[in-house]
Amino acid sequence: MRARWILLPVLGVAGTAAARARMLRGVAPGLRHPAAAVIPSIGPVTLRAARAARGPSGMPAGGGVAVRRHDVDGGQDVYVYTPAEPNGAALLWIHGGGTIIGAPEIDHARCIRMARDTGTVVVSTRYRLAPEHPFPAGHDDCYAALRWLHDGAAERGLDPARVGVGGASAGGGLAAGVVQRAVDEGVPVAFQLLVYPMLDDRTTTRPADRRGALVWTRRSNAFAWDAYLGAGHAERDVPAYAAPARRTDLTGLPPAWIGVGELDLFHDEDVDYARRLEAAGVPVELLVEPGMYHAADLLAARAAPMRAFARSAIGALRRNLAPRD
């Protein structure tokens, strides 16, 4: 998977060669992509440049997967990836970008692979971005896409009892919030696939450590959460589903796969959420990848650890949405 345009444009060099070397210390050798140490933090100035980065236009080559675009009532448009031999399962996929950048087009290759390798119909949704559209706009768009998927399940030959929700980074956080709301409102969700999810706005107030030096930094995270929830969010109550880690009762949520890197800024909040899900009786598969920073699976997709990381997620998707006896 090519990912140069998926993250943030390189706007400048992050300090000296020595500084870059320090930033890469602890990174697994196969993941030391040169771009990892020069992607700048995102803020009011770099936001415009990040959004100006363009991904591929038009429909992607499907590799045996049919790709169609549809409009969603009450939401945004979605891409539907249908494998050659669908097995009746479906996954709502939500792209990353801190809730402030990104589009479903950035995940064409990922969605094609998930559909092809699992037989799952993948629906990848667009959603409105902050700060122009703070919570609940993006969340509501994603939830509308889930309702659209369920409403059209029969005509697409899908089993509504085998619908999952997943996403990466901010998309993983949005996915977790959508799953919580679905459970509360009685909308069936069988599985949640959370790839280094952005779950807890309170991470912005925690003491700094070695995590978050690469790709998605503490500065980027603080700016993104302020854009999504408004300044001072960490010191006040926030609405339900806005920051999924704040939910106190996790009982009744569907099984989860959570994958995160050891050096990812979201490491602690993701591990904590996995442990709390497990304590609530929710089956959880947690993968913490040594020496991995945020989104290393995109920058260093061909590295052996990242191939294994992707296989683990796809395997969990296949197992949890498999046909039931």
Side-chain angles (χ1 to χ4, degrees), residues 72 74-75 92 94 125 127 136-149 174 177-189 241:
V72 172
L92 174 66
I94 306 172
T125 185
Y127 56 89
H139 168 84
D140 285 345
D141 291 340
C142 296
Y143 193 72
L146 177 64
R147 295 305 302 260
W148 177 87
L149 175 55
L174 284 163
V178 164
V179 168
Q180 291 175 0
R181 181 175 172 183
V183 168
D184 290 345
E185 297 187 4
V187 177
V189 174
Y241 320 127

Side-chain angles (χ1 to χ4, degrees), residues 58-72 76-84 86 88-93 104-105 107-116 119-126 144-146 148-150 152-153 155-158:
M59 289 293 181
V65 174
V67 185
R68 300 287 185 271
R69 194 189 69 81
H70 298 270
D71 292 323
V72 172
Q76 305 292 304
D77 62 303
V78 299
Y79 287 95
V80 178
Y81 304 81
T82 304
L91 175 74
L92 174 66
W93 179 261
E105 289 81 4
D107 281 337
H108 276 324
R110 189 197 297 261
C111 291
I112 287 170
R113 179 180 178 184
M114 288 190 293
R116 183 192 66 223
T120 301
V121 172
V122 178
V123 175
S124 180
T125 185
R126 196 180 310 278
L146 177 64
W148 177 87
L149 175 55
H150 268 288
E155 65 185 74
R156 294 187 175 89
L158 301 175

Side-chain angles (χ1 to χ4, degrees), residues 209-277:
D209 59 16
R210 65 190 180 123
R211 298 187 171 100
L214 299 170
V215 180
W216 189 253
T217 66
R218 291 182 176 275
R219 183 177 297 178
S220 298
N221 202 44
F223 174 76
W225 278 113
D226 283 354
Y228 191 54
L229 296 180
H233 52 85
E235 285 76 39
R236 65 171 187 269
D237 291 337
V238 299
Y241 320 127
R246 292 218 192 191
R247 184 180 177 105
T248 56
D249 183 5
L250 303 181
T251 57
L253 296 179
W257 182 94
I258 299 177
V260 67
E262 176 192 19
L263 302 179
D264 197 311
L265 179 61
F266 300 148
H267 170 276
D268 290 359
E269 63 193 73
D270 291 356
V271 171
D272 180 68
Y273 194 65
R275 289 172 176 165
R276 291 177 54 224
L277 284 169

